[in-house]
Amino acid sequence: MIALYLVAGLAVSLILYGFNTNSETNKSTFHLKKLLPAVVLTSCFWPIVMMLISFEAMPKPKTRKPPISYKDLILPVNIESVEHSELIKDPNTIVPDLPFGHLHSKWQNLKQKTDDKNMIWAFKTQPKQQSNKDIVEGYALVDSNKQIVDYLVTAKYKENYGANGNTAIH
């Protein structure tokens, strides 16, 4: 029974190696130093390897943004003042020293959509579908017809904490 288990693991190893032969694996130094331990480990733990491969192949769930409406908008904002107030200064350099830190690219995408017809507004909302009383804040791109084109969520916090430093950036 153990021999059958190891033979199945060896088959899985060879199949995985076959999928990877078009990369750098054909180099002679790679063969013995890395291929042999990989085949031995995969042969012994092939059910776990197969489970990890299947988890990796599963489609990732898309995160849904909370819906916002015109009534959630607070006021139009000046882009330069927002970038100044949202500038991240992290002494540990974990977050880039840019407006919105890790969300900087999303802010840039939102900012690039502004023109004579589209303005950025600050918003604050409490999504109805959430029972945990979360408050969501951020910036929305609003067109001349008062329709929300796109938005960026910058903070999410519990209703009873308020936005005075108890925010979690998403």
Side-chain angles (χ1 to χ4, degrees), residues 12-50:
V12 169
S13 298
L14 294 176
I15 290 170
L16 292 177
Y17 176 72
F19 281 117
N20 201 22
T21 56
N22 58 352
S23 65
E24 295 287 321
T25 58
N26 290 332
K27 304 283 186 213
S28 61
T29 57
F30 182 82
H31 270 281
L32 295 179
K33 289 183 181 177
K34 296 188 179 178
L35 181 63
L36 189 59
V39 168
V40 169
L41 287 173
T42 305
S43 296
C44 294
F45 301 107
W46 66 269
I48 296 170
V49 171
M50 294 303 292

Side-chain angles (χ1 to χ4, degrees), residues 43-61:
S43 296
C44 294
F45 301 107
W46 66 269
I48 296 170
V49 171
M50 294 303 292
M51 183 179 64
L52 292 174
I53 290 172
S54 65
F55 284 147
E56 187 68 29
M58 293 173 90
K60 307 293 184 263

Side-chain angles (χ1 to χ4, degrees), residues 15-16 18 26 35 48 62-63 69 79 84 91-92 112-113 122 135 149:
I15 290 170
L16 292 177
N26 290 332
L35 181 63
I48 296 170
K62 294 189 176 193
T63 57
S69 64
I79 291 175
H84 179 70
N92 296 323
Q112 287 175 355
K113 296 176 186 177
I135 304 292
V149 178

